[in-house]
Amino acid sequence: MGGRGSVSRITGSSGGRGGGGFGVSGGSNVSPAPIQMQTSPPQIVPTAQQAQNANAGTFSATDTQGFHDLYNGRQYFQQQNLSIDSQVAVINYLSDQPEPGSRYSMAQNMNTAMANGQRLTANQQFTHDNMMAAMHNLGYNLNLTRYDHAPTLNNLLAQYGVRGANYEHMTAAQLKSALVGRTYSENKFLSTSYNDFRNAPPGNPFTDRAVKFVYRAKASVQAMMPGNGPGGRLGEIVLAPNTPMKIVDVDFTGQSARHKGTQSHTAKQVVVTVEVG
């Protein structure tokens, strides 16, 4: 599937909000929480253009520091400017309620449809368009984290020519050889955590997954912070679809992780370090 550094497109869904997010469905031990966008929204302006102009003056495309953690998430959230439609779109995105006729939330279904090139419903299209309108420069060179299940990594390995790909049957050196230097993008909204889920409720269904992605995201990356949702204080930052990414390291963490769809914690956890933007 192309030489080192070739661009890949990851498709499909692997849980969360279509593999990239923190939506909860099908029952969870995470207690519902109010949506911060409803109870304490950032600065709401009449139009998307006004929001974009204000955000351009607030969030710089450059940062003189190296990659670092974001510590004051509340202030960051409040500094954002959103149109009224974008506020509604973010509330839609954060909702964990299943869409009619589906087991999954609107965001999960929207991201799955986007990743697979399927047509969006009217509500999904509204949410997509106004989430895009809410995107702005990340503003800082940030460390971000996301957890995913093993199929995402195995699918990526398969796209790069590893037959019968199963990362657990490979050494760290083999994983590095197969993946380091590869570039890819994902056609979906990618939900990350700026504090590695430090304030997430106990028993959250994210951090025990087999694959830990550590992102080094540049200040110019298009993103937005949706605030706390029903899953609790997850430190969520959403990256825009099709953001360019480059794998720079892969290694085992030495920790055990949960196999997808089970409560078996016998999988080897692996960390994939990715430069974003």
Side-chain angles (χ1 to χ4, degrees):
M1 295 292 296
R4 183 168 302 279
S6 59
V7 177
S8 171
R9 295 290 294 277
I10 296 180
T11 61
S13 174
S14 55
R17 281 198 260 275
F22 311 141
V24 179
S25 67
S28 170
N29 56 0
V30 177
S31 300
I35 294 178
Q36 187 177 7
M37 189 63 66
Q38 293 171 304
T39 59
S40 180
Q43 301 175 71
I44 305 300
V45 297
T47 70
Q49 189 61 59
Q50 286 176 303
Q52 290 165 4
N53 291 343
N55 284 331
T58 302
F59 299 96
S60 175
T62 60
D63 184 3
T64 57
Q65 297 187 65
F67 294 103
H68 56 91
D69 296 337
L70 176 68
Y71 295 104
N72 196 338
R74 181 182 295 274
Q75 182 181 20
Y76 187 100
F77 177 73
Q78 293 292 341
Q79 286 179 329
Q80 296 177 117
N81 294 267
L82 275 74
S83 70
I84 295 170
D85 283 345
S86 288
Q87 181 188 21
V88 173
V90 172
I91 292 170
N92 286 347
Y93 187 79
L94 290 174
S95 173
D96 63 348
Q97 297 303 303
E99 279 192 304
S102 172
R103 293 176 53 201
Y104 303 103
S105 72
M106 187 282 306
Q108 288 173 301
N109 289 335
M110 176 183 67
N111 269 335
T112 299
M114 289 171 61
N116 290 289
Q118 299 167 348
R119 185 172 181 175
L120 303 183
T121 67
N123 189 44
Q124 291 168 2
Q125 191 67 58
F126 170 87
T127 301
H128 170 278
D129 293 348
N130 288 288
M131 284 285 291
M132 290 301 297
M135 294 290 161
H136 52 74
N137 293 325
L138 190 57
Y140 306 95
N141 295 329
L142 292 182
N143 298 315
L144 304 172
T145 308
R146 180 173 72 88
Y147 292 81
D148 212 331
H149 294 292
T152 293
L153 182 58
N154 289 335
N155 290 340
L156 193 58
L157 287 165
Q159 290 182 48
Y160 292 129
V162 179
R163 295 183 179 180
N166 184 336
Y167 80 94
E168 289 194 274
H169 296 165
M170 301 173 68
T171 65
Q174 289 173 325
L175 289 171
K176 291 176 192 290
S177 178
L179 294 177
V180 171
R182 303 291 188 177
T183 58
Y184 68 99
S185 63
E186 301 189 64
N187 185 26
K188 59 188 176 185
F189 293 99
L190 196 67
S191 290
T192 69
S193 175
Y194 69 80
N195 58 14
D196 198 12
F197 295 89
R198 184 175 61 243
N199 299 316
N204 74 80
F206 316 115
T207 54
D208 63 354
R209 295 178 180 181
V211 186
K212 178 179 181 179
F213 286 94
V214 174
Y215 298 110
R216 298 172 181 169
K218 297 178 182 177
S220 58
V221 167
Q222 295 302 289
M224 66 86 56
M225 182 184 287
N228 301 328
R233 298 170 60 196
L234 305 179
E236 186 169 3
I237 287 182
V238 180
L239 307 184
N242 299 315
T243 300
M245 302 190 180
K246 180 180 180 181
I247 299 173
V248 296
D249 197 14
V250 189
D251 207 350
F252 290 101
T253 66
Q255 305 296 316
S256 60
R258 177 171 57 90
H259 289 281
K260 182 181 179 182
T262 76
Q263 290 303 314
S264 172
H265 288 71
T266 59
K268 297 179 181 178
Q269 190 178 63
V270 64
V271 58
V272 182
T273 304
V274 181
E275 288 184 354
V276 184

